[in-house]
Amino acid sequence: MKQMLTGNTAAAWGARLADVDYIPAFPITPQTEIIETLAQWAAAGEIPARFVTLDSEHSMLTAGGAAAAAGARVFTATSSQGLLYGFELLYTVAGWRVPFVLVNVSRGLASPITLEPDHNDVLAARDSGCLQIHAETCQEVFDSILMAYRIAEDPRVLLPVIVNLDGFSLSFTREPVELPAVAAASIYLGEYAPGHAWIRGERPMAQGVAVLGGAVYSYFRYQMQLAAENALTVHEEAAAAFETMFGRRYGLVDGYRLDDAELVLVMSNSFATKGRAAVDLARSEGVRLGLLRLRLLRPFPREAIRRALAGRRAVAVIDQNLSIGLGGITVGEVAHALYAERDRPPLLSYVGGLGGKEISDQEFRRIVSDLMLAAATGETPPPRLLFTAAEARQMQTLLSIAGKEGAG
Amino acid sequence: MSRELAAYRNLKDISREEFILPGTSVCGGCGGMEALRLAAKVLGDRVVYVNAAGCFTLLAVFPYTPFRGSWLYTTMGSAPAGAQGVRDALDVLIARGKVRPEDDVQVVVVAGDGATYDMALSSTSGAIWRNLDFWYFCYDNESYGNTGAQASSATPYGARTPTTLGAERRKDLFEIWRAHRPAYLATVSPRYPVDLSRKFEKAKRFKGPKLFLAAAPCPTGWEFDPAKTLDYGRLQVETGLFPLKEAVGDGPVVHTYAPAKRRPVEEYLRGQGRFRHLFEPVKQAALIARIQEDVDRYWARVEA
């Protein structure tokens, strides 16, 4: 049966149907609805999990990692500044090789402080050892959390997984979500019975121990890399089992009208829905445009991306993030995936949607015309920061109120 | 007096069994290690030590651990939150029948003063506020010992460090902790093993935060002969600089040992490299007098 759920409530249901043992929490906009929902269920005895509010995200992630190191199935959630406040732990607990699921509700990073989404927060964590699944819809948020536990707990992986959803545009948007029966979810996941990490009186174990020397350190870091690579296979297995049980299939990447596409937009998360609309609009005008949505960001599915983009006439990556001094983050990763491909298309780079900024039809049109020109000439235009004339005029008004006329 | 407490009358009553095995990389003469070794004799092997970054982080270096119990290194600032996660996990897993009750362990934070007095105050405060059932063992060597004895907010007035000249008084961590009304808190010294053992034994009665501030004379950081660790441990207490005391819940602070006649602080300061500038090239009588006045004022309040 389908219910109308916000992205946040879908995330809470993911934790509930994963039958988690422990939920360390700390509130931050726009994640709060997730932990409020879970807190109410825990208080009412509707879920057996223990819910505890910590003193910070740093403590929250420590408690979560430590509980997982003691053998509990752990769920937690944060956003933006909270993710950064707990950043040290992302690396630390990933190194403990403890599987747990962290939902990040994406929100632009200060400064200036804001509330609406972009992906600088979650992408800052891309080197941490936490795997990353980025969701486009509320259904995908729920489904990805179930899949995330299955992937994280697989003995070939044993790494935390971050499931990302966009603040506001997904966290507070209601969409129909199909929730499985408790028993079905339980069969899909099975019980978490760690064979590698525990804290027990009868079987003492030292975890998180120091190492001396680069070779020992490298060994353990390489183990994490190999485990993350294993997650590509494990994701496909988890996706196949998920489809068998629940009828929905998720790939490493997601394509829309890609089959005969000559030109491709690459996007991620909920703004990919705007990309789909742009594809439909272009198609109605006879342009063979398609969309590739990045879903699994870590491990980075290089081969799937190479296959999806090889032979296209031009590709535009729209990064909803900005690495200051570099530009878009994922365009470089996509380029890496394509570099060894003989038949690689011109790769155009756009930054847009920062702090939830709209990406308008007009901007998509500009990108499509750039793509057509690049396809025709083989030339790649310089990276662009999307900003419309109307937005520039609005900004001039604000600047003049601030007494900064003539600036900008 | 309970049977257990009566059991610690003198040194012979302390277990000869070791729960932290020798061969670690801590410095020779480490006072903190001696205090932890004594504490472990009371705590036993059904424990997990949740560690914050500091000297003791190098106790467990892959593939070795000296502990007969478990160990989890966390970060510098969040060991109490790690204790929270472990305690909560064991509680919920036992309640759900996933862990046998006999597999339960006591959760013990092990952290130095650098973490305890500063970076971990937030996570400690939270853990005490939630009445977490855990132990906190702070080995107080009055500096960031592992990085070369730079000043922490536990560094005493007058001590020169690689980063300061000793102009600040140390924080009163005992009172900061006590303001939270934990189930039990105490100061201990490795030179007073019976007092230390009795306090750990007594704390077993209480469910909730059990907090210990352990004097940790540090030959490396304080610059004295490692053979003299316990001499300085004794002087630290006999001068009155490190009072041995305890408090239960919101009850009064009880001094478990009050030196009958306090030794002059000068006896303690002299001979430590970190205080050498108080004596050479010329004696800084005013500074030494100020340290003495601080101690005298403290004990005047205690004895009033």
Side-chain angles (χ1 to χ4, degrees), chain A residues 7-192:
Chain A
N8 277 345
T9 319
W13 272 101
R16 177 168 176 159
L17 290 181
D19 190 28
V20 299
D21 298 305
Y22 189 47
I23 306 162
F26 191 86
I28 180 169
T29 301
Q31 150 268 34
T32 42
E33 187 186 12
I34 301 175
I35 63 164
E36 286 175 2
T37 304
L38 290 166
Q40 285 158 18
W41 286 339
E46 291 180 44
I47 56 174
R50 181 157 300 208
F51 179 98
V52 176
T53 302
L54 277 295
D55 56 284
S56 70
E57 291 87 355
H58 190 275
S59 285
M60 175 187 91
L61 289 172
T62 306
R73 183 177 280 165
V74 176
F75 175 87
T76 186
T78 188
S79 173
S80 189
Q81 309 303 130
L83 189 74
L84 264 60
Y85 197 80
F87 206 71
E88 178 183 19
L89 273 304
L90 298 176
Y91 281 72
T92 301
V93 300
W96 294 352
R97 305 299 302 275
V98 290
F100 68 89
V101 174
L102 164 64
V103 163
N104 183 65
V105 187
S106 261
R107 165 182 149 187
L109 292 170
S111 290
I113 190 163
T114 190
L115 295 174
E116 290 180 77
D118 67 41
H119 306 137
N120 265 96
D121 57 357
V122 67
L123 290 177
R126 68 192 185 277
D127 303 335
S128 65
C130 299
L131 308 183
Q132 294 196 12
I133 299 173
H134 292 209
E136 182 181 359
T137 65
C138 297
Q139 182 72 61
E140 192 181 359
V141 169
F142 172 84
D143 292 348
S144 297
I145 290 170
L146 280 198
M147 286 182 63
Y149 279 105
R150 183 146 164 161
I151 296 164
E153 292 171 3
D154 190 289
R156 292 165 289 178
V157 178
L158 298 174
L159 290 167
V161 177
I162 297 173
V163 174
N164 193 69
L165 66 137
D166 282 337
F168 290 79
S169 51
L170 203 56
S171 67
F172 301 144
T173 299
R174 277 176 204 279
E175 292 178 343
V177 176
E178 177 97 39
L179 295 175
V182 173
S186 167
I187 290 167
Y188 178 71
L189 282 187
E191 191 166 311
Y192 177 47

